[in-house]
Amino acid sequence: MRTPLIAGNWKMNTDGKSAAALAKAVAAGAARFGRAEVAVCPPFVYLPEVGAALAGSPVGLGAQNMYHEPSGAFTGEVSAAMLLDAGCRYVILGHSERRQFFGESDAVVNRKVLAALKTPLTPIVCVGELLAQREAGQTSDVVRSQLAGSLAGLSEEQIRRVVVAYEPVWAIGTGKVATVDEAEAVHLDLRKTLESRYNAGVAAVVRILYGGSVKADNASQLLSAPNIDGALVGGASLKAEDFLSIVDAAR
Ligand code: PEP
């Protein structure tokens, strides 16, 4: 049985004080986690204080990005080893905002995934179609191709450690949420793709999260779908109670 994962992507929000306070408030809700795994992904610079605020709690720390090289002259970049040093367990890779605003291609994401997997980090790899692609009936082709490109060359052992996040771009931060049927259909499609690229065992263990305007009031329905194994939460992860209500729906 796949353990549900609820991960909060704080994006470029919070500040030093509010980041630690938010992390503490999420950790204080640990009694509500049940069997759910919970993680928060603050901006890089707040990883140390958020890590300190989470000390001793079951909430995992994650980053929102990394570079694939281990070290060197790459101004402004952060390596997997640095994230581990800062206490991270997870790293979000290939978020649609990285793809859209920073030009990250599947090949770029793939290099990052492979680098993350050389370490104990769990990559949360995002895929998702644009509204125009959905309207043109291309959703399946787009997400399958992103999955294949972003996860190219992974061994069976490596793919088992990956978390996939299906995030329809038109649902991110827009308040528009995919219906459960729409989301479940894509999750099933992704799982079948994993089965055909690897095998049924892999397809059965890889977690596929949904992301895109997940809120307390739609989480239970989404998370009750058989192939939705958790949520990647943006806006609603910035208020502890909202985020914990989504965790409630997962346990
Ligand atoms: C996200 O950015 O990963 C996300 C899902 O954002 P929101 O929940 O705000 O739509």
Side-chain angles (χ1 to χ4, degrees), residues 3 12 37-38 40-41 60 66 72 82 92 98 115 119 133 140-141 149-150 176 213 215 226 237 245:
T3 304
M12 200 171 73
E37 199 175 303
V38 176
V40 295
C41 305
M66 55 166 258
M82 290 170 183
I92 300 170
R98 301 286 327 162
T119 77
Q133 293 168 326
S140 179
D141 288 345
S150 303
K176 283 184 198 156
S213 299
K215 309 274 180 239
S237 69
S245 302

Side-chain angles (χ1 to χ4, degrees), residues 82-103:
M82 290 170 183
L83 298 184
L84 283 174
D85 261 357
C88 288
R89 266 190 253 162
Y90 306 88
V91 59
I92 300 170
L93 296 174
H95 189 279
S96 65
E97 287 150 16
R98 301 286 327 162
R99 293 176 185 265
Q100 191 181 344
F101 303 131
F102 302 97

Side-chain angles (χ1 to χ4, degrees), residues 129-139 166 168 170 178 182-183 186:
E129 81 286 3
L130 304 169
L131 184 59
Q133 293 168 326
R134 172 160 283 268
E135 287 174 349
Q138 295 165 347
T139 299
Y166 167 57
W170 48 271
E182 283 170 338
V186 179

Side-chain angles (χ1 to χ4, degrees), residues 91-186:
V91 59
I92 300 170
L93 296 174
H95 189 279
S96 65
E97 287 150 16
R98 301 286 327 162
R99 293 176 185 265
Q100 191 181 344
F101 303 131
F102 302 97
E104 289 193 11
S105 63
D106 291 327
V108 166
V109 177
N110 184 231
R111 284 197 285 275
K112 295 183 180 200
V113 174
L114 288 166
L117 288 169
K118 284 190 187 146
T119 77
L121 287 170
T122 295
I124 301 174
V125 183
C126 304
V127 298
E129 81 286 3
L130 304 169
L131 184 59
Q133 293 168 326
R134 172 160 283 268
E135 287 174 349
Q138 295 165 347
T139 299
S140 179
D141 288 345
V142 169
V143 298
R144 280 174 182 235
S145 149
Q146 288 176 332
L147 193 78
S150 303
L151 303 181
L154 268 63
S155 67
E156 179 174 338
E157 193 198 325
Q158 287 175 318
I159 188 82
R160 284 173 178 266
R161 293 177 41 211
V162 168
V163 173
V164 174
Y166 167 57
E167 299 206 304
V169 179
W170 48 271
I172 295 182
T174 58
K176 283 184 198 156
V177 75
T179 66
V180 179
D181 289 348
E182 283 170 338
E184 171 62 16
V186 179

